[in-house]
Amino acid sequence: MNFVQPVRDPEVIREIKRYLREQSERDYMLFVTG
């Protein structure tokens, strides 16, 4: 079975949030609250 590691790098998290906010406010909010 494969294991998945969480994203721990704050810069990568900022990039993901920026991308999601540009694409969809709903997806951004789900990511932030998750």
Side-chain angles (χ1 to χ4, degrees):
M1 178 166 200
N2 295 333
F3 293 97
V4 177
Q5 294 294 321
V7 176
R8 291 192 174 100
D9 184 5
E11 183 58 34
V12 173
I13 293 172
R14 278 192 287 275
E15 297 270 336
I16 293 170
K17 286 166 65 174
R18 186 175 347 191
Y19 172 79
L20 288 174
R21 191 162 217 177
E22 291 172 0
Q23 299 301 311
S24 167
E25 189 73 20
R26 180 194 68 123
D27 292 347
Y28 170 76
M29 292 306 294
L30 287 171
F31 181 80
V32 171
T33 58

